[in-house]
Amino acid sequence: MDDYFYQPLLLSVVAVALLQLLKLALRPATSPRPPPGPWELPVIGGMHHLVNVLPHRALRDLAAVHGPLMMLRLGQTPMVVVSSKETARAVLKTHDTNFATRPKLLAGEIVGYEWVDILFAPSGDYWRKLRQLCAAEILSSKRVLSFRHIREDEVMLCVEEIRAAGPSTPVNISVMFHSITNSIVSRAAFGKKRHNAAEFLAATKAVVGLASGFNVPDLFPAWTRVLAGLTGMTRSLRDIHRTVDTILQEIIDERRAAREAKVRSGVEGEDVDENLVDVLVGLQEKGGFGFTLTNSIIKAVILDMFAGGTGTSGSAMEWAMSELMRTPAVMKKLQGQIREAFHGKSQVTEADLQASNLQYLKLVIKEALRLHPPAPMLVPRESIEACEVAGYTVPAKARVVINAWAIGRDPKYWGKHADEFRPERFEDGAVDFTGGSYEFLPFGSGRRMCPGFNYGLASMELSLVGLLYHFDWSLPEGVKEVDMEEAPGLGVRRRSPLMLCATPFVAATA
């Protein structure tokens, strides 16, 4: 019985192996050679490799086995993971045009007004014109500078709140930083903090999670509608859309009425534009951009500003503060330079910052972004056509993910102490985050590079300076070290809030 069963089985295995070898031997030299990848299961492909893990870490470990250009199928979707400086350059520079579009995710259709925003609009003439418009009118250095009074106000409100808590009461720095960024973006976009701001921010946070591209319905394009209905994803996205759309329409109507009243009273030019909604409404009236700037596009652009400028900036700040608390020598050096530069001032303004040109502060921020990029795996791209990268063929319609977190910690580029917080590694100025250094990609590179990173950096610089100038910081009683555990999910949020005690160093303002 045993011979009757095992002998045919053995012969079958040998026959299949020989046929596979023959197939490989007869394969034309020009036939596609897909990137290597881990083992897969029927139907779900390699989805099991990303269950109950931190994806950026799990994909880094898989790349160590299968190489810096790796492919695994998630459901019906081939996903190519880029994990080296060299392969990142190939995707983001050499073949940037081919990888410059986005996958059409369900969240972008329902909440993003059918993919009309900057983030998820497919590449093409409309996207290029929209990006040019926003770069000139919304995301320019001049526009960022125009909101400096808002950043200064919010940082000082935070300083006074910390001062009021007293030196013995632990302060939730995580909440503080997220509150600062939320308030700054709210005031810059709408002109004021709104009564329904919490509802709007909750909706924005929810859509970010549903727009990751890793939700099951988005991984089975042929079954997206069915699966989204069964899992409740469609219902959730429509609820979010109703909330966001109602609030944004209310704001647009208010700002249009206020704008018209100003124009009637004789106010002209830039004095009419107090916030980003005002700017967009004015551009809508002006026209002449090669496309119609509809209310839906205005709403989608404002939603992008919130999605990209709140949670990510707050997270970057709390990680920077966490690293400073873990490295007292760096904290002492930075605090010393800040206090020497602004000695005697009751408040540090952005004008003060620009005049002082604190180089070490910039190094500290770079190092924090290297170790904790706001989006550890950059927003997914999609290949338009099949393309050869590093000797392998990336298929058309493949989802392409750059593991910026893994590249930023690779000892090949950063030395044997790659995981340590050492701002001095940036002293020579050879590496920067403006898109030309492919070992350092906190904001991406190429056509799809994050266009609004200057907003986040301005808030980060002033907030860190404000807190380090006004207070000496310590861990709460009984806490020996900073917990650096990351929260589950696609981001790199702290698992637990950063709680610190603040002893005033600069006297309260009169």
Side-chain angles (χ1 to χ4, degrees), residues 300-312:
V301 169
I302 293 297
L303 188 59
D304 271 359
M305 294 294 295
F306 274 87
T310 52
T312 53

Side-chain angles (χ1 to χ4, degrees), residues 26-312:
L26 296 175
R27 184 178 65 183
T30 57
S31 65
R33 182 186 178 213
W39 65 281
E40 298 177 349
L41 293 170
V43 183
I44 68 169
M47 290 170 65
H48 58 288
H49 293 293
L50 300 179
V51 175
N52 294 326
V53 297
L54 294 167
H56 53 283
R57 291 181 178 270
L59 291 174
R60 189 268 306 268
D61 296 341
L62 287 171
V65 176
H66 301 286
L69 191 76
M70 171 181 70
M71 187 165 75
L72 60 162
R73 182 173 52 84
L74 301 182
Q76 295 175 329
T77 304
M79 186 178 78
V80 174
V81 183
V82 174
S83 304
S84 74
K85 171 184 175 179
E86 295 75 19
T87 50
R89 182 190 287 111
V91 168
L92 300 175
K93 183 178 181 181
T94 308
H95 302 289
D96 187 24
T97 304
N98 190 53
F99 295 107
T101 198
R102 298 288 195 203
K104 285 196 167 184
L105 304 178
L106 190 62
E109 178 184 7
I110 297 176
V111 183
Y113 299 87
E114 298 187 352
W115 310 287
V116 297
D117 63 329
I118 305 174
L119 187 63
F120 282 110
S123 64
D125 187 57
Y126 164 75
W127 174 77
R128 284 191 295 272
K129 289 175 179 176
L130 177 64
R131 184 182 172 92
Q132 289 169 2
L133 176 66
C134 290
E137 302 290 348
I138 300 294
L139 305 170
S140 66
S141 297
K142 181 181 178 181
R143 189 68 65 189
V144 174
L145 188 61
S146 72
F147 296 124
R148 65 182 180 181
H149 67 284
I150 294 175
R151 292 186 288 272
E152 291 166 358
D153 288 349
E154 293 301 327
V155 169
M156 282 310 297
L157 285 172
C158 177
V159 166
E160 295 308 321
E161 188 176 343
I162 293 170
R163 196 186 300 280
S168 60
T169 303
V171 176
N172 191 329
I173 296 300
S174 297
V175 168
M176 286 280 183
F177 280 140
H178 285 280
S179 176
I180 288 175
T181 56
N182 292 344
S183 295
I184 288 172
V185 175
S186 295
R187 288 179 62 186
F190 306 143
K192 62 181 180 180
K193 300 176 190 178
R194 302 188 64 84
H195 65 90
N196 46 14
E199 185 181 8
F200 184 80
L201 289 166
T204 303
K205 183 178 179 181
V207 78
V208 169
L210 292 171
S212 67
F214 284 83
N215 295 285
V216 171
D218 284 320
L219 299 176
F220 292 86
W223 298 95
T224 295
R225 303 288 176 189
V226 174
L227 293 172
L230 291 173
T231 59
M233 184 174 174
T234 299
R235 183 177 64 256
S236 296
L237 287 171
R238 285 176 177 163
D239 288 345
I240 293 169
H241 175 72
R242 275 192 294 271
T243 298
V244 167
D245 187 72
T246 300
I247 294 173
L248 288 176
Q249 187 61 54
E250 175 186 301
I251 293 166
I252 289 172
D253 291 342
E254 285 178 8
R255 299 314 304 170
R256 182 172 282 114
R259 180 183 179 83
E260 290 171 355
K262 282 188 174 182
V263 171
R264 283 196 302 271
S265 66
V267 178
E268 296 180 358
E270 293 184 3
D271 292 334
V272 178
D273 299 330
E274 295 181 356
N275 54 65
L276 297 181
V277 173
D278 290 337
V279 174
L280 288 166
V281 169
L283 292 171
Q284 185 183 51
E285 295 171 357
K286 180 181 177 182
F289 313 114
F291 66 93
T292 302
L293 186 58
T294 63
N295 278 1
S296 292
I297 296 175
I298 291 176
K299 294 171 188 175
V301 169
I302 293 297
L303 188 59
D304 271 359
M305 294 294 295
F306 274 87
T310 52
T312 53

Side-chain angles (χ1 to χ4, degrees), residues 370-408:
R370 179 186 72 85
L371 291 173
H372 309 281
M377 294 182 296
L378 303 182
V379 180
R381 296 176 174 227
E382 186 176 270
S383 54
I384 298 171
E385 298 176 347
C387 177
E388 185 170 309
V389 177
Y392 298 104
T393 300
V394 176
K397 303 291 286 185
R399 203 161 292 173
V400 181
V401 172
I402 314 290
N403 194 340
W405 179 90
I407 299 172

